[in-house]
Amino acid sequence: MSKPSLPTDDGVTSLAAHRMALVVQKARQIRDASDAFIRDWPTLEVRPPMPAFAWPELERQLLDLAPKELGPIVRDLVSAVRKEALPKPPEMVLREILVIAATVLDEDFRLSLAQTPGEGSPMP
């Protein structure tokens, strides 16, 4: 006797399954990236403490360093790093923060945005 399948003709079940598959795929990507980072950058035995700071403080400082027209990009990048930070090694998160800082301070990056007008472009 065959097992009855779940109904998918209303789209709700298939949409939920699709969303779950995307969540699982993203979790696997983060895990794989974290594992690769740890292989390349094993945790140091001596780790003197750093001063603690909060995400809003980080965002505020990056916004102050970046040109005003990059504000929306800075906010989006910090939000993305924050949302995925918990399962990652702290040094990996630090590296992502440093990449954001380097990116927003890079004049070539700003020029490339200025030359590529499009929907949501921060520059005229």
Side-chain angles (χ1 to χ4, degrees), residues 55-75:
W55 290 105
E57 295 164 337
L58 170 67
E59 184 176 301
R60 178 172 60 183
Q61 292 304 313
L62 288 171
L63 285 168
D64 185 64
L65 291 171
K68 289 201 184 305
E69 63 269 14
L70 294 184
I73 292 172
V74 169
R75 286 183 185 89

Side-chain angles (χ1 to χ4, degrees), residues 34-47 89 91:
S34 294
D35 291 346
F37 187 88
I38 291 169
R39 277 192 304 276
D40 293 343
W41 302 95
T43 302
L44 298 172
E45 290 183 33
V46 178
R47 297 178 66 209
E91 189 175 359

